[in-house]
Amino acid sequence: MSTTTSAQNPMNPDRTADRSTGPSAGVAGPRHFLSAVPEPDFSSDGGRGRYEEALRRYPGQAIVDLRAMRDNMRRLVSMCTSEGSHAAVMGVVKADAYGHGLIPSALAALAGGATWLGTAQSHEALLLRRAGIGPDRCRILTWVYDGARVPFDELIAADIDVSVGSLPGIDAVAAAARRLGRKARVHVKVDTGFGRNGFTPAGFDEALRRLVPLAREGVIDVVGQWSHLAVADSPDVPEFVASTDRQIASFHDFTRRMSEAGIAPRIRHLANTAATLSRPDIRFELTRPGIGLYGYEPDPAMGRPSTYGLRPAMRLQAQLSTVKDVEAGHGISYGRTYLTPDDTSTAIVPLGYADGINRAASGFDMQGARHVEKPGGPVRVMTAQGLRLLRVSGRVCMDQFILDLHGSASELGVREGDTVELFGPGRGEALGEPTADDWARAADTISYTVFTCLSNRIPRLYEHAPEVLDDGDLALLDPDTIL
Ligand SMILES: *Cc1c(COP(=O)(O)O)cnc(C)c1O
């Protein structure tokens, strides 16, 4: 198979930077670099300065478009308030907002109409409140903790809703509420078939025996009932749809048991992004989309983001390090899993697995008797001859990986300092722009891991922040990150 795809469109609008006088220019005048990405939409000259500073600080950047994120949330909210639905929407911002940055993403979700935020870890829920996102703005729910040590006192005091899905969890939250003299808002987690946290149908009577007196006494307020779906991302697979239907039936049964016990939940929630997009019948009072906020469908089998009016919010780009010529048959990187098929040039992308580039996205092309071929992760590179989609050649190292340019760098006009794109919004097939789904495919994983594993040493820079956020919210962002 061929590892290169040249760009089809010579009038490419992305061709924002070019060297008009050829690769040898730039000695005297300002140096120009080829760029496979459009220039960010700067909100001010200050934004441009901060961008250039970020490039000097680190040779890779995650550019997050807050307008895309706000619009994705608007889209999800409009779905949940049409087609017979009247559901509120929770922006799930766990894991540093899937690697997009907790506070900016939370604020963009609120700007798009989310009225809830959700985090797995209680620490992140507290960070949201400490940043100044108060109960007047939104409710916050958190659900992963060790019931013996979680700071329930702090959570209750910060007006954060907590999930309870175990007997020790009930006891601990009740004890904290009594100490504080303040009612704890709880969402009862039920296991309808996912097999993770929550009460099973068999264990639920015991849970009700503890919850009911606490609710009567006013120690806890049973706000919600919730559960999680296992296979909602495969709406075309009949066995999976049947399995989701069984989870829904079980969910209804739990609601009945709560109601009969006198603690009917006011807010039921079950739908993740997949179910929010594909099952309007189970939006209940609240939905919990995560990946949709960041602009992706949960599984490429469901289509592309644009199928649902979503737009990926993150672009990952890097500036090339060493570019050089090598001969045919040259081993590339650890293990010699890639041997250059021809005389060629290589370029180093200075991001590696310590940055969160999955080592499983390494590219193999071993010639000879033991021929093994496996395409690596895709990288979009601008050349003097147009855009090329190249692939990781050889093993991903800790801080860098290598691209076989499949041609001479001087003829291609590719130089150290050029900006390449690992993934972006995927603006149309013709532009050949990879998405996180393409990296997921190359590493045999899911897009979720592509963002959440990006390490903190890659700066996150925000586009369209002043457009999306009011002055008060804007002041909550690290000023160095605003483009
Ligand atoms: C992560 C998570 C979600 C969001 O899932 P997506 O597939 O990203 O929409 C919803 N609910 C719970 C309990 C989660 O852990």
Side-chain angles (χ1 to χ4, degrees), residues 34 36 72 78 136 151 193 269 277 286 427:
L34 289 179
N72 292 332
S78 93
D136 53 318
H269 45 109
L277 299 178
L286 179 64
R427 293 153 299 152

mmCIF file of all heavy atoms in Angstrom, residues 34 36 72 78 136 151 193 269 277 286 427:
data_model
loop_
_atom_site.group_PDB
_atom_site.id
_atom_site.type_symbol
_atom_site.label_atom_id
_atom_site.label_comp_id
_atom_site.label_asym_id
_atom_site.label_seq_id
_atom_site.Cartn_x
_atom_site.Cartn_y
_atom_site.Cartn_z
ATOM 1 N N LEU A 34 6.388 26.542 6.077
ATOM 2 C CA LEU A 34 5.182 25.894 5.548
ATOM 3 C C LEU A 34 4.320 25.476 6.726
ATOM 4 O O LEU A 34 4.817 25.061 7.769
ATOM 5 C CB LEU A 34 5.566 24.653 4.744
ATOM 6 C CG LEU A 34 6.259 24.873 3.401
ATOM 7 C CD1 LEU A 34 6.579 23.528 2.769
ATOM 8 C CD2 LEU A 34 5.403 25.700 2.470
ATOM 9 N N ALA A 36 0.760 23.215 7.697
ATOM 10 C CA ALA A 36 -0.347 22.355 7.276
ATOM 11 C C ALA A 36 -1.639 22.726 7.978
ATOM 12 O O ALA A 36 -2.648 22.067 7.810
ATOM 13 C CB ALA A 36 0.000 20.891 7.556
ATOM 14 N N ASN A 72 -21.282 22.926 19.764
ATOM 15 C CA ASN A 72 -21.628 21.517 19.972
ATOM 16 C C ASN A 72 -22.636 21.390 21.104
ATOM 17 O O ASN A 72 -23.609 20.623 21.003
ATOM 18 C CB ASN A 72 -20.379 20.688 20.302
ATOM 19 C CG ASN A 72 -19.421 20.578 19.127
ATOM 20 O OD1 ASN A 72 -19.840 20.636 17.967
ATOM 21 N ND2 ASN A 72 -18.137 20.425 19.410
ATOM 22 N N SER A 78 -30.280 21.706 21.807
ATOM 23 C CA SER A 78 -31.458 21.843 20.937
ATOM 24 C C SER A 78 -32.068 20.468 20.654
ATOM 25 O O SER A 78 -33.280 20.332 20.587
ATOM 26 C CB SER A 78 -31.119 22.632 19.669
ATOM 27 O OG SER A 78 -30.750 21.769 18.626
ATOM 28 N N ASP A 136 -25.393 29.135 41.412
ATOM 29 C CA ASP A 136 -26.304 29.976 40.628
ATOM 30 C C ASP A 136 -26.125 29.722 39.132
ATOM 31 O O ASP A 136 -27.038 29.966 38.349
ATOM 32 C CB ASP A 136 -26.024 31.459 40.940
ATOM 33 C CG ASP A 136 -24.543 31.807 40.744
ATOM 34 O OD1 ASP A 136 -23.681 30.996 41.151
ATOM 35 O OD2 ASP A 136 -24.236 32.865 40.158
ATOM 36 N N PRO A 151 -13.895 13.668 50.436
ATOM 37 C CA PRO A 151 -14.248 14.842 51.259
ATOM 38 C C PRO A 151 -15.709 15.244 51.070
ATOM 39 O O PRO A 151 -16.016 16.286 50.506
ATOM 40 C CB PRO A 151 -13.290 15.926 50.754
ATOM 41 C CG PRO A 151 -13.025 15.564 49.333
ATOM 42 C CD PRO A 151 -13.096 14.063 49.263
ATOM 43 N N GLY A 193 -27.033 -3.081 34.225
ATOM 44 C CA GLY A 193 -26.427 -4.056 33.323
ATOM 45 C C GLY A 193 -25.015 -3.721 32.897
ATOM 46 O O GLY A 193 -24.357 -4.512 32.223
ATOM 47 N N HIS A 269 -31.481 10.187 34.836
ATOM 48 C CA HIS A 269 -30.566 10.365 33.695
ATOM 49 C C HIS A 269 -29.807 9.082 33.380
ATOM 50 O O HIS A 269 -29.335 8.394 34.276
ATOM 51 C CB HIS A 269 -29.628 11.555 33.890
ATOM 52 C CG HIS A 269 -28.972 11.694 35.233
ATOM 53 N ND1 HIS A 269 -27.636 11.459 35.426
ATOM 54 C CD2 HIS A 269 -29.453 12.064 36.435
ATOM 55 C CE1 HIS A 269 -27.318 11.698 36.694
ATOM 56 N NE2 HIS A 269 -28.407 12.057 37.328
ATOM 57 N N LEU A 277 -27.729 11.094 21.041
ATOM 58 C CA LEU A 277 -27.837 11.253 19.587
ATOM 59 C C LEU A 277 -28.820 10.272 18.969
ATOM 60 O O LEU A 277 -29.464 10.586 17.971
ATOM 61 C CB LEU A 277 -26.457 11.059 18.923
ATOM 62 C CG LEU A 277 -25.338 12.027 19.313
ATOM 63 C CD1 LEU A 277 -24.044 11.647 18.603
ATOM 64 C CD2 LEU A 277 -25.724 13.471 18.978
ATOM 65 N N LEU A 286 -32.636 14.613 32.109
ATOM 66 C CA LEU A 286 -31.258 15.093 31.983
ATOM 67 C C LEU A 286 -30.463 14.108 31.113
ATOM 68 O O LEU A 286 -30.688 12.902 31.196
ATOM 69 C CB LEU A 286 -30.641 15.167 33.394
ATOM 70 C CG LEU A 286 -29.184 15.616 33.567
ATOM 71 C CD1 LEU A 286 -28.999 17.073 33.122
ATOM 72 C CD2 LEU A 286 -28.750 15.474 35.036
ATOM 73 N N ARG A 427 -11.857 18.896 8.269
ATOM 74 C CA ARG A 427 -12.648 19.721 7.352
ATOM 75 C C ARG A 427 -12.733 19.119 5.957
ATOM 76 O O ARG A 427 -12.029 19.532 5.053
ATOM 77 C CB ARG A 427 -12.052 21.124 7.269
ATOM 78 C CG ARG A 427 -12.152 21.909 8.554
ATOM 79 C CD ARG A 427 -11.057 22.927 8.648
ATOM 80 N NE ARG A 427 -9.759 22.260 8.624
ATOM 81 C CZ ARG A 427 -8.647 22.804 8.177
ATOM 82 N NH1 ARG A 427 -8.649 23.992 7.684
ATOM 83 N NH2 ARG A 427 -7.528 22.122 8.215
#
